[in-house]
Amino acid sequence: MKAARKNMGGLTELRKKAEKKLMYGVTGAGTESIRPLEIEHELNVHKVELEMQNEELRLTQLQLEKSLDNYAELFQYAPVGYFILDINGIVLNLNDAACKLLGEHTNWATGRPFSVFLHSEICQDDFYRHRNLVIDSGMPQEIEVKFIKKDSAAFPALITSTIVKDEEDHFKYFLSTVNDISERKEQELKMKMALSKEVELNELKSRFISTASHEFRTPLATILLSTELLEKYNEADDEKNRKKHFQKIKSAVLGLTEILMDFLSLDKFENGAITNSPEYIDLVSLTTRVIEDINIRRQTVLYKHADKKQVVYLDPKLLRVCITNIIGNAFKYSHADSPVEVTTAFADNDQVLISVKDHGIGIPEHDKPFIFDRFFRSKTAEAYQGTGLGLNIVQKFTSVMNGHISFTSVENEGSTFVLQFPNM
Ligand code: ADP
């Protein structure tokens, strides 16, 4: 362009010179005598020169247009969404990527306030503050907001804005680039969840260690004492005492196993290793076996199965853990002389019901909402061994089996826990 202007200056000089020469030639005035042929020749030379300069100018203009086209293409097809706004935040132009983000055409967005594409009033206020900051500071700024498409679907977006000024340093327009950061946000969320899971698991493990070290002490002391006494009961008439201490050892071992099982079950669940694998099983024989295995004190159990059908389609391992826990609690939290009533049945819509009723300490009213919380133990249960994990595990396992656990309880009267599963 500069070259062209320089040439234009040269051309004017040339024209003046040529006209002057021509004028002297025609009038015959002046000191120089110039022949017409010479003038004609010179004019022709300049004409050609002019044409050449014209051509050069045209080429420069073409180049300029091409480079403008290139920039327009760069803008239009850039992989990032560009929005050009006026001072009031009205969209003046946007590129293809921006249209794609909105799920719409350019025509639809231009002329509208940029804020209409922001998800909530909070986002709009945030963007308003962001715009003022960009204008006041004159520096590019970033903000994360929720953007909405024309079909109302929202997505998280990172907006980077800057202002473009004219030659006189006045505001020309506001340029905002918009990036869909859904994937990044999803990854962040996954990482946060994994981290909090990790923290939770660590907390669980350290909590378990302190619970276990506390809860292990009593049964281990019982085992030690009973084995020491057993050594002394050598006589034939010590049979009764021997039996008593063997039972004490059994019960202590069972308590220890329960603690370990609780922790292992929860750890497995937290690691996603618990899946529902149903198979056809005999509900009555499974329940009977559980009762036999854990009824160390030989407490009276009134077991009823109110149906001819005994086969259920449930995960035997998960079901065993659930039944063991609620029957174990009924034994633990009731007196050795009081009976525990276990009922298994099928409800109308082919639901499997397992109910366990005891006449024990019951659950205080104010503790009922927390009974399924991890590590929760009633003050009234402190005299009994436990981790506060059992019911939490049962609740988790029943939900994996698409079932449900509920209870009713009256303090000092007893409790009834009911497991309910669809029998598919
Ligand atoms: P744990 O028995 O190891 O303490 P659970 O999760 O099985 O843990 O039970 C949580 C709490 O619920 C117990 O500490 C106890 O306070 C109460 N609980 C559960 N079952 C019974 C029951 N059958 N009778 C009275 N209280 C119960």
mmCIF file of all heavy atoms in Angstrom, residues 258 262 325 329-330 332-333 358 361-363 371 376-378 380-381 385-392 415 417, ligand 1:
data_model
loop_
_atom_site.group_PDB
_atom_site.id
_atom_site.type_symbol
_atom_site.label_atom_id
_atom_site.label_comp_id
_atom_site.label_asym_id
_atom_site.label_seq_id
_atom_site.Cartn_x
_atom_site.Cartn_y
_atom_site.Cartn_z
ATOM 1 N N GLU A 258 -17.169 -61.636 63.602
ATOM 2 C CA GLU A 258 -18.198 -60.678 63.176
ATOM 3 C C GLU A 258 -17.571 -59.322 62.852
ATOM 4 O O GLU A 258 -17.873 -58.715 61.825
ATOM 5 C CB GLU A 258 -19.225 -60.533 64.294
ATOM 6 C CG GLU A 258 -20.444 -59.726 63.889
ATOM 7 C CD GLU A 258 -21.254 -59.288 65.106
ATOM 8 O OE1 GLU A 258 -21.622 -60.152 65.901
ATOM 9 O OE2 GLU A 258 -21.483 -58.073 65.234
ATOM 10 N N ASP A 262 -17.605 -57.740 59.210
ATOM 11 C CA ASP A 262 -18.206 -56.432 58.975
ATOM 12 C C ASP A 262 -17.257 -55.551 58.180
ATOM 13 O O ASP A 262 -17.635 -54.944 57.176
ATOM 14 C CB ASP A 262 -18.510 -55.730 60.316
ATOM 15 C CG ASP A 262 -19.802 -56.237 60.920
ATOM 16 O OD1 ASP A 262 -20.444 -57.087 60.284
ATOM 17 O OD2 ASP A 262 -20.161 -55.776 62.021
ATOM 18 N N ASN A 325 -26.502 -60.769 60.265
ATOM 19 C CA ASN A 325 -26.434 -59.523 61.024
ATOM 20 C C ASN A 325 -27.674 -59.261 61.862
ATOM 21 O O ASN A 325 -27.571 -58.931 63.039
ATOM 22 C CB ASN A 325 -26.203 -58.344 60.071
ATOM 23 C CG ASN A 325 -24.747 -57.936 60.077
ATOM 24 O OD1 ASN A 325 -24.251 -57.463 61.086
ATOM 25 N ND2 ASN A 325 -24.074 -58.135 58.958
ATOM 26 N N ASN A 329 -27.834 -59.569 65.905
ATOM 27 C CA ASN A 329 -28.208 -58.434 66.766
ATOM 28 C C ASN A 329 -29.332 -58.816 67.728
ATOM 29 O O ASN A 329 -29.322 -58.412 68.891
ATOM 30 C CB ASN A 329 -28.677 -57.254 65.907
ATOM 31 C CG ASN A 329 -27.501 -56.450 65.366
ATOM 32 O OD1 ASN A 329 -26.368 -56.677 65.766
ATOM 33 N ND2 ASN A 329 -27.777 -55.523 64.467
ATOM 34 N N ALA A 330 -30.299 -59.588 67.209
ATOM 35 C CA ALA A 330 -31.429 -60.001 68.071
ATOM 36 C C ALA A 330 -30.905 -60.824 69.250
ATOM 37 O O ALA A 330 -31.339 -60.631 70.387
ATOM 38 C CB ALA A 330 -32.437 -60.803 67.249
ATOM 39 N N LYS A 332 -27.770 -60.745 70.402
ATOM 40 C CA LYS A 332 -26.863 -59.911 71.201
ATOM 41 C C LYS A 332 -27.615 -58.940 72.122
ATOM 42 O O LYS A 332 -27.254 -58.784 73.282
ATOM 43 C CB LYS A 332 -25.952 -59.143 70.239
ATOM 44 C CG LYS A 332 -24.896 -58.298 70.906
ATOM 45 C CD LYS A 332 -23.784 -57.884 69.932
ATOM 46 C CE LYS A 332 -24.256 -56.991 68.814
ATOM 47 N NZ LYS A 332 -23.152 -56.502 67.972
ATOM 48 N N TYR A 333 -28.650 -58.298 71.570
ATOM 49 C CA TYR A 333 -29.318 -57.233 72.324
ATOM 50 C C TYR A 333 -30.549 -57.718 73.113
ATOM 51 O O TYR A 333 -31.385 -56.912 73.480
ATOM 52 C CB TYR A 333 -29.699 -56.070 71.395
ATOM 53 C CG TYR A 333 -28.473 -55.423 70.788
ATOM 54 C CD1 TYR A 333 -28.233 -55.478 69.417
ATOM 55 C CD2 TYR A 333 -27.547 -54.769 71.596
ATOM 56 C CE1 TYR A 333 -27.097 -54.892 68.858
ATOM 57 C CE2 TYR A 333 -26.413 -54.191 71.054
ATOM 58 C CZ TYR A 333 -26.195 -54.260 69.681
ATOM 59 O OH TYR A 333 -25.065 -53.686 69.155
ATOM 60 N N ASP A 358 -37.067 -59.588 68.503
ATOM 61 C CA ASP A 358 -36.497 -59.935 69.816
ATOM 62 C C ASP A 358 -37.233 -59.170 70.898
ATOM 63 O O ASP A 358 -38.006 -58.249 70.620
ATOM 64 C CB ASP A 358 -34.986 -59.632 69.839
ATOM 65 C CG ASP A 358 -34.681 -58.153 69.743
ATOM 66 O OD1 ASP A 358 -35.087 -57.377 70.632
ATOM 67 O OD2 ASP A 358 -34.022 -57.751 68.736
ATOM 68 N N ILE A 361 -33.316 -54.991 74.442
ATOM 69 C CA ILE A 361 -33.173 -53.622 74.977
ATOM 70 C C ILE A 361 -33.918 -52.580 74.146
ATOM 71 O O ILE A 361 -34.184 -51.487 74.627
ATOM 72 C CB ILE A 361 -31.673 -53.224 75.111
ATOM 73 C CG1 ILE A 361 -30.979 -53.241 73.732
ATOM 74 C CG2 ILE A 361 -30.953 -54.135 76.097
ATOM 75 C CD1 ILE A 361 -29.582 -52.615 73.759
ATOM 76 N N GLY A 362 -34.210 -52.898 72.904
ATOM 77 C CA GLY A 362 -34.909 -51.940 72.048
ATOM 78 C C GLY A 362 -34.027 -50.752 71.682
ATOM 79 O O GLY A 362 -32.875 -50.644 72.129
ATOM 80 N N ILE A 363 -34.568 -49.884 70.850
ATOM 81 C CA ILE A 363 -33.774 -48.734 70.376
ATOM 82 C C ILE A 363 -34.437 -47.442 70.852
ATOM 83 O O ILE A 363 -35.633 -47.229 70.583
ATOM 84 C CB ILE A 363 -33.660 -48.767 68.828
ATOM 85 C CG1 ILE A 363 -32.943 -50.067 68.412
ATOM 86 C CG2 ILE A 363 -32.912 -47.545 68.299
ATOM 87 C CD1 ILE A 363 -33.119 -50.410 66.953
ATOM 88 N N ILE A 371 -29.740 -45.240 63.001
ATOM 89 C CA ILE A 371 -29.430 -46.640 63.242
ATOM 90 C C ILE A 371 -28.675 -47.302 62.079
ATOM 91 O O ILE A 371 -27.894 -48.228 62.273
ATOM 92 C CB ILE A 371 -30.737 -47.395 63.629
ATOM 93 C CG1 ILE A 371 -30.440 -48.409 64.715
ATOM 94 C CG2 ILE A 371 -31.424 -48.040 62.467
ATOM 95 C CD1 ILE A 371 -30.223 -47.776 66.039
ATOM 96 N N PHE A 376 -22.527 -46.007 63.833
ATOM 97 C CA PHE A 376 -23.442 -45.524 64.868
ATOM 98 C C PHE A 376 -23.779 -46.646 65.846
ATOM 99 O O PHE A 376 -24.131 -47.756 65.454
ATOM 100 C CB PHE A 376 -24.735 -44.968 64.267
ATOM 101 C CG PHE A 376 -25.672 -44.483 65.343
ATOM 102 C CD1 PHE A 376 -25.536 -43.215 65.877
ATOM 103 C CD2 PHE A 376 -26.645 -45.332 65.877
ATOM 104 C CE1 PHE A 376 -26.364 -42.788 66.905
ATOM 105 C CE2 PHE A 376 -27.479 -44.912 66.905
ATOM 106 C CZ PHE A 376 -27.332 -43.633 67.416
ATOM 107 N N ARG A 377 -23.699 -46.312 67.133
ATOM 108 C CA ARG A 377 -24.099 -47.249 68.186
ATOM 109 C C ARG A 377 -24.883 -46.468 69.239
ATOM 110 O O ARG A 377 -24.474 -45.377 69.640
ATOM 111 C CB ARG A 377 -22.880 -47.893 68.858
ATOM 112 C CG ARG A 377 -21.937 -48.601 67.871
ATOM 113 C CD ARG A 377 -21.127 -49.680 68.550
ATOM 114 N NE ARG A 377 -21.962 -50.805 68.918
ATOM 115 C CZ ARG A 377 -21.782 -51.535 70.003
ATOM 116 N NH1 ARG A 377 -20.824 -51.233 70.843
ATOM 117 N NH2 ARG A 377 -22.591 -52.540 70.281
ATOM 118 N N SER A 378 -25.976 -47.057 69.669
ATOM 119 C CA SER A 378 -26.763 -46.415 70.729
ATOM 120 C C SER A 378 -25.986 -46.413 72.030
ATOM 121 O O SER A 378 -25.202 -47.335 72.260
ATOM 122 C CB SER A 378 -28.036 -47.240 70.948
ATOM 123 O OG SER A 378 -29.120 -46.621 70.388
ATOM 124 N N THR A 380 -27.286 -47.078 74.692
ATOM 125 C CA THR A 380 -27.808 -48.249 75.402
ATOM 126 C C THR A 380 -27.120 -49.547 74.962
ATOM 127 O O THR A 380 -27.272 -50.581 75.616
ATOM 128 C CB THR A 380 -29.325 -48.391 75.144
ATOM 129 O OG1 THR A 380 -29.526 -48.331 73.739
ATOM 130 C CG2 THR A 380 -30.121 -47.295 75.816
ATOM 131 N N ALA A 381 -26.361 -49.477 73.846
ATOM 132 C CA ALA A 381 -25.721 -50.699 73.324
ATOM 133 C C ALA A 381 -24.252 -50.763 73.696
ATOM 134 O O ALA A 381 -23.556 -51.721 73.323
ATOM 135 C CB ALA A 381 -25.872 -50.747 71.802
ATOM 136 N N GLN A 385 -20.753 -55.853 72.698
ATOM 137 C CA GLN A 385 -19.705 -55.715 71.688
ATOM 138 C C GLN A 385 -20.291 -55.344 70.340
ATOM 139 O O GLN A 385 -21.390 -55.809 69.994
ATOM 140 C CB GLN A 385 -18.985 -57.039 71.554
ATOM 141 C CG GLN A 385 -17.875 -57.190 72.554
ATOM 142 C CD GLN A 385 -16.685 -57.834 71.908
ATOM 143 O OE1 GLN A 385 -16.781 -58.975 71.500
ATOM 144 N NE2 GLN A 385 -15.600 -57.113 71.812
ATOM 145 N N GLY A 386 -19.588 -54.526 69.602
ATOM 146 C CA GLY A 386 -20.094 -54.191 68.266
ATOM 147 C C GLY A 386 -19.271 -53.098 67.621
ATOM 148 O O GLY A 386 -18.468 -52.432 68.283
ATOM 149 N N THR A 387 -19.463 -52.943 66.330
ATOM 150 C CA THR A 387 -18.691 -51.944 65.577
ATOM 151 C C THR A 387 -19.574 -50.814 65.037
ATOM 152 O O THR A 387 -19.079 -49.794 64.599
ATOM 153 C CB THR A 387 -18.021 -52.616 64.360
ATOM 154 O OG1 THR A 387 -19.063 -53.240 63.588
ATOM 155 C CG2 THR A 387 -17.006 -53.640 64.773
ATOM 156 N N GLY A 388 -20.878 -51.036 65.038
ATOM 157 C CA GLY A 388 -21.780 -50.041 64.438
ATOM 158 C C GLY A 388 -21.750 -50.123 62.922
ATOM 159 O O GLY A 388 -22.174 -49.187 62.223
ATOM 160 N N LEU A 389 -21.261 -51.241 62.380
ATOM 161 C CA LEU A 389 -21.172 -51.377 60.916
ATOM 162 C C LEU A 389 -22.236 -52.309 60.344
ATOM 163 O O LEU A 389 -22.611 -52.199 59.177
ATOM 164 C CB LEU A 389 -19.795 -51.927 60.520
ATOM 165 C CG LEU A 389 -18.592 -51.015 60.734
ATOM 166 C CD1 LEU A 389 -17.304 -51.746 60.395
ATOM 167 C CD2 LEU A 389 -18.701 -49.773 59.860
ATOM 168 N N GLY A 390 -22.722 -53.236 61.216
ATOM 169 C CA GLY A 390 -23.610 -54.305 60.734
ATOM 170 C C GLY A 390 -24.816 -53.818 59.951
ATOM 171 O O GLY A 390 -25.012 -54.214 58.796
ATOM 172 N N LEU A 391 -25.607 -52.947 60.546
ATOM 173 C CA LEU A 391 -26.843 -52.513 59.877
ATOM 174 C C LEU A 391 -26.544 -51.669 58.638
ATOM 175 O O LEU A 391 -27.294 -51.707 57.659
ATOM 176 C CB LEU A 391 -27.728 -51.723 60.849
ATOM 177 C CG LEU A 391 -28.425 -52.568 61.917
ATOM 178 C CD1 LEU A 391 -29.293 -51.677 62.795
ATOM 179 C CD2 LEU A 391 -29.294 -53.655 61.284
ATOM 180 N N ASN A 392 -25.448 -50.937 58.693
ATOM 181 C CA ASN A 392 -25.042 -50.145 57.528
ATOM 182 C C ASN A 392 -24.769 -51.077 56.346
ATOM 183 O O ASN A 392 -25.193 -50.831 55.204
ATOM 184 C CB ASN A 392 -23.798 -49.329 57.903
ATOM 185 C CG ASN A 392 -23.322 -48.436 56.790
ATOM 186 O OD1 ASN A 392 -22.467 -48.832 56.017
ATOM 187 N ND2 ASN A 392 -23.900 -47.263 56.688
ATOM 188 N N SER A 415 -37.267 -55.267 69.509
ATOM 189 C CA SER A 415 -37.222 -54.733 68.142
ATOM 190 C C SER A 415 -37.609 -55.804 67.138
ATOM 191 O O SER A 415 -37.426 -56.997 67.389
ATOM 192 C CB SER A 415 -35.804 -54.278 67.795
ATOM 193 O OG SER A 415 -35.216 -53.571 68.847
ATOM 194 N N PHE A 417 -36.870 -56.420 63.021
ATOM 195 C CA PHE A 417 -36.243 -55.986 61.760
ATOM 196 C C PHE A 417 -36.822 -56.830 60.630
ATOM 197 O O PHE A 417 -36.966 -58.045 60.776
ATOM 198 C CB PHE A 417 -34.727 -56.145 61.825
ATOM 199 C CG PHE A 417 -34.064 -55.022 62.592
ATOM 200 C CD1 PHE A 417 -34.004 -55.050 63.977
ATOM 201 C CD2 PHE A 417 -33.528 -53.929 61.925
ATOM 202 C CE1 PHE A 417 -33.411 -54.011 64.686
ATOM 203 C CE2 PHE A 417 -32.935 -52.888 62.627
ATOM 204 C CZ PHE A 417 -32.877 -52.920 64.011
HETATM 205 P P1 ADP B 1 -23.366 -53.123 66.238
HETATM 206 O O1 ADP B 1 -24.382 -54.120 66.642
HETATM 207 O O2 ADP B 1 -22.063 -53.730 65.870
HETATM 208 O O3 ADP B 1 -23.246 -52.008 67.209
HETATM 209 P P2 ADP B 1 -25.160 -52.523 64.065
HETATM 210 O O4 ADP B 1 -24.922 -51.662 62.902
HETATM 211 O O5 ADP B 1 -25.584 -53.913 63.823
HETATM 212 O O6 ADP B 1 -23.830 -52.431 64.899
HETATM 213 O O7 ADP B 1 -26.259 -51.818 64.943
HETATM 214 C C1 ADP B 1 -26.177 -50.434 65.177
HETATM 215 C C2 ADP B 1 -26.832 -50.110 66.490
HETATM 216 O O8 ADP B 1 -28.244 -50.337 66.362
HETATM 217 C C3 ADP B 1 -26.407 -50.939 67.640
HETATM 218 O O9 ADP B 1 -25.246 -50.458 68.239
HETATM 219 C C4 ADP B 1 -27.602 -50.845 68.534
HETATM 220 O O10 ADP B 1 -27.574 -49.642 69.245
HETATM 221 C C5 ADP B 1 -28.776 -50.785 67.560
HETATM 222 N N1 ADP B 1 -29.397 -52.100 67.316
HETATM 223 C C6 ADP B 1 -29.328 -52.862 66.228
HETATM 224 N N2 ADP B 1 -30.063 -53.967 66.333
HETATM 225 C C7 ADP B 1 -30.648 -53.894 67.530
HETATM 226 C C8 ADP B 1 -31.562 -54.728 68.246
HETATM 227 N N3 ADP B 1 -32.008 -55.873 67.726
HETATM 228 N N4 ADP B 1 -31.963 -54.308 69.457
HETATM 229 C C9 ADP B 1 -31.534 -53.156 69.960
HETATM 230 N N5 ADP B 1 -30.673 -52.336 69.366
HETATM 231 C C10 ADP B 1 -30.246 -52.695 68.166
#
